[in-house]
Amino acid sequence: MTEPFVRVHALPDHVGETATVNGWLYNARGSKGLRFLELRDGSGIVQVVVNQEQVDAASWEAAASLTQESAFRVVGEVRADERQRGGVEVQAGSVEVIALAEPYPITPKEHGTEFLMDRRHLWLRSQRQWAAMRVRNRIITAIHGYFQGEGFVQMDAPILTGNAVEGTSTLFELDYFGEPAYLTQSGQLHGEAMAMAHGKIYTFGPTFRAEKSRTRRHLTEFWMIEPEMAFYDLAMNMEVAEELLVAILDAVLADCRDELEILERDTGALEAARQTPFPRLSYSDAVDLLTGDATQLMLDAEQEGLEDERHALEEERDRNRAAYGQAKKGEKRRIDAREIEINVRLDEIAEGLRNIPTWKASAAQFTWGDDFGASDETILTRHFSTPVIVHRYPAAVKAFYMKRDPDDDRLALGMDVLAPEGYGEIVGGGERATDLQFLRDQVEAHGLPESAFDWYFDLRKYGSVPHAGFGLGLERTVAWICGLPHVRETGPFPRLLGRLHP
């Protein structure tokens, strides 16, 4: 469909032409006879110049009346200007108000997280949130592009299930016409059935966990990408996970430079993260690294660096405050904006300095056989610039369907991919058990109802083959690539413990 207006992202293709642009007022400034309006339309932001001498009285009055987030329409000439975002601006010929906005609750001042989360429907319009959602979109299209290019078939697993996948303690239970049903924790078990029909499949859908966690890595509703491959072993599974993550990084680095700049993301770290092969550590090797001297020395150096940075930022803030009284209006705005940046970073530093002693103690006390917690994953990834793959975990900390290592029955042929920079696990998976009696024994040992898994057992009765797969958490991946400190900013309307609104 040809639209009767031009979107901001396409304006560079219309330089020298008269175009109609629709959008909302992001910001405005002006002086006598001139108004500079920042118009956002969802695809980008463009500066609109309104010259009182070049528009009629109604357009000038409309431009002057616009409040933040008012909707308006501009007809004007698209002009090249390399100083502007996107390299263009619009010289207005007419301005029309579509809807005047009431006083907008989100202002340039610093707001608390709860305030912003209560207004998530409006916070989505801010530049950082806009950029994160655009990166999320590109990650999603890259995922589909990779799997479709590799011959996978997209399939859909049910959201309502009659059985647990990861354990019964984190299920949302509901009544399904008089019998219990659960919101799915994973599409994996059904994915195995679909892989036996199509060879290589992937599912992409919502999953749910009822654990009462308030950490920065947990949501109660999140999206999982779960490939399942017949005739694949653990090594092949790790290779697919690596290729997928590199494809995602390549796509975002190629197509989302503007968004990453808005997010102030260190693209050098993302460039480094795409270098292959990713390190592959056995669980035992990872434990040795975690509990060794190298980790303690690394954390000591990090603590010293944070303390030095805190001191430098506090000195800068004090200098700015001392100069504030004599500063001109524009400089005061710069100082105010910089103080917000400094305070945000000081909060991050304070959290890091609180965490490091805990991390050091946790690492030193870690015992073989324990599962890695969030702090353990954070420490391990600080040793690497790329994701690191940890494999062959103790079977006791992995799911019942994991195949055992034929060389060491204590171990499961599972693997996790840990993202660098402390973002932790973004992929979990492994090779699936193929022995029917083993699976029956595991279901019984885990206290699960055998009747709920009769169909799953059938997969081992009728042409059972080696197979493997994994789950990629979309929101954790978005957090890592965008450099976001909390998964609550990785989706449009996150669902966390105690939050169902908006």
Side-chain angles (χ1 to χ4, degrees):
M1 174 183 174
T2 301
E3 295 174 325
F5 51 88
V6 179
R7 296 194 181 273
V8 167
H9 74 91
L11 286 173
D13 297 330
H14 296 270
V15 171
E17 301 175 14
T18 297
T20 299
V21 187
N22 299 321
W24 297 267
L25 184 69
Y26 191 70
N27 198 8
R29 57 187 174 86
S31 57
K32 188 176 182 180
L34 281 176
R35 296 286 292 173
F36 300 94
L37 312 176
E38 287 189 335
L39 178 150
R40 67 166 194 87
D41 74 342
S43 73
I45 292 179
V46 67
Q47 176 172 275
V48 176
V49 181
V50 186
N51 188 324
Q52 187 174 12
E53 296 180 355
Q54 297 176 6
V55 298
D56 58 31
S59 292
W60 178 252
E61 182 178 344
S65 70
L66 292 171
T67 53
Q68 186 180 352
E69 289 303 318
S70 291
F72 67 108
R73 176 177 296 114
V74 173
V75 179
E77 182 185 354
V78 182
R79 295 181 176 178
D81 188 339
E82 293 304 320
R83 298 170 301 176
Q84 302 302 324
R85 190 182 323 197
V88 296
E89 66 179 17
V90 176
Q91 184 71 43
S94 67
V95 179
E96 175 190 350
V97 176
I98 298 173
L100 282 176
E102 297 181 13
Y104 198 60
I106 300 177
T107 65
K109 73 177 184 179
E110 191 171 1
H111 292 290
T113 299
E114 287 305 307
F115 176 92
L116 293 170
M117 289 298 295
D118 287 342
R119 294 157 182 82
R120 182 64 177 167
H121 53 296
L122 301 178
W123 191 23
L124 284 170
R125 304 181 186 189
S126 72
Q127 278 292 277
R128 281 182 57 83
Q129 303 307 309
W130 174 88
M133 294 305 100
R134 305 283 284 201
V135 173
R136 177 188 171 107
N137 174 71
R138 189 64 187 95
I139 290 171
I140 290 170
T141 59
I143 289 167
H144 285 297
Y146 170 78
F147 283 124
Q148 293 294 323
E150 292 294 321
F152 285 72
V153 178
Q154 183 185 0
M155 303 285 283
D156 299 313
I159 292 173
L160 294 174
T161 70
N163 56 271
V165 178
E166 302 292 348
T168 58
S169 62
T170 61
L171 287 164
F172 285 108
E173 184 175 345
L174 50 85
D175 181 271
Y176 190 71
F177 304 107
E179 62 178 301
Y182 310 96
L183 295 179
T184 184
Q185 300 164 311
S186 166
Q188 181 222 306
L189 301 188
H190 291 89
E192 290 185 47
M194 292 184 282
M196 298 306 112
H198 292 273
K200 296 194 300 185
I201 66 95
Y202 70 105
T203 63
F204 197 139
T207 51
F208 306 86
R209 300 289 167 86
E211 58 191 312
K212 295 182 178 180
S213 174
R214 295 185 184 274
T215 77
R216 63 179 56 197
R217 295 182 182 180
H218 285 88
L219 296 168
T220 57
E221 174 188 283
F222 57 99
W223 288 74
M224 285 271 281
I225 299 89
E226 298 182 90
E228 203 69 33
M229 296 85 69
F231 304 104
Y232 271 53
D233 61 16
L234 179 62
M236 298 166 75
N237 199 37
M238 290 190 281
E239 187 174 349
V240 172
E242 179 180 275
E243 288 180 356
L244 173 62
L245 289 173
V246 171
I248 291 170
L249 287 167
D250 285 349
V252 171
L253 287 167
D255 299 331
C256 298
R257 291 284 180 173
D258 290 344
E259 289 86 349
L260 294 173
E261 182 177 352
I262 291 169
L263 291 164
E264 299 178 319
R265 184 60 166 113
D266 178 7
T267 55
L270 296 180
E271 294 278 6
R274 63 169 307 284
Q275 303 306 308
T276 56
F278 295 164
R280 287 155 167 75
L281 297 179
S282 71
Y283 169 87
S284 295
D285 288 341
V287 171
D288 289 343
L289 178 60
L290 180 67
T291 58
D293 292 340
T295 289
Q296 297 295 316
L297 292 171
M298 177 187 70
L299 293 175
D300 286 341
E302 184 172 334
Q303 183 173 357
E304 183 178 349
L306 288 175
E307 289 170 345
D308 289 345
E309 185 183 358
R310 179 179 64 182
H311 181 67
L313 288 172
E314 289 173 343
E315 286 188 340
E316 180 186 353
R317 185 177 60 183
D318 291 343
R319 289 195 303 270
N320 287 342
R321 288 176 176 177
Y324 192 86
Q326 303 301 317
K328 294 182 179 180
K329 186 176 181 180
E331 179 64 10
K332 284 183 176 179
R333 284 200 298 268
R334 186 200 69 78
I335 291 173
D336 287 339
R338 178 58 181 156
E339 177 140 346
I340 290 174
E341 293 175 351
I342 289 174
N343 288 340
V344 169
R345 180 56 185 155
L346 285 174
D347 287 344
E348 293 171 350
I349 290 171
E351 183 178 4
L353 291 174
R354 286 194 300 269
N355 286 335
I356 287 175
T358 303
W359 293 347
K360 290 172 69 175
S362 175
Q365 297 165 7
F366 191 90
T367 302
W368 195 101
D370 294 341
D371 198 5
F372 293 130
S375 62
D376 305 313
E377 293 173 352
T378 295
I379 295 166
L380 285 170
T381 62
R382 275 168 153 74
H383 287 283
F384 304 94
S385 59
T386 69
V388 56
I389 304 177
V390 181
H391 58 89
R392 290 175 170 81
Y393 283 77
V397 302
K398 287 299 180 184
F400 73 89
Y401 49 74
M402 287 282 186
K403 187 174 183 177
R404 296 291 175 86
D405 186 343
D407 297 324
D408 188 342
D409 192 58
R410 299 177 305 159
L411 305 178
L413 294 181
M415 64 95 176
D416 291 342
V417 182
L418 311 181
E421 303 173 83
Y423 281 91
E425 180 192 340
I426 54 173
V427 170
E431 192 171 340
R432 316 312 188 187
T434 56
D435 182 81
L436 176 59
Q437 189 57 50
F438 173 83
L439 282 174
R440 289 187 188 278
D441 293 343
Q442 289 298 304
V443 166
E444 181 180 358
H446 283 77
L448 301 171
E450 184 170 333
S451 60
F453 294 90
D454 53 1
W455 66 271
Y456 187 64
F457 295 151
D458 280 352
L459 303 180
R460 274 66 182 176
K461 295 179 182 178
Y462 305 106
S464 182
V465 300
H467 60 288
F470 60 82
L472 170 75
L474 177 62
E475 284 76 12
R476 289 189 183 183
T477 303
V478 173
W480 162 47
I481 291 180
C482 290
L484 300 173
H486 199 296
V487 290
R488 63 180 164 233
E489 295 183 44
T490 60
F493 294 99
R495 292 294 174 247
L496 304 97
L497 182 62
R499 180 165 293 281
L500 275 172
H501 178 84

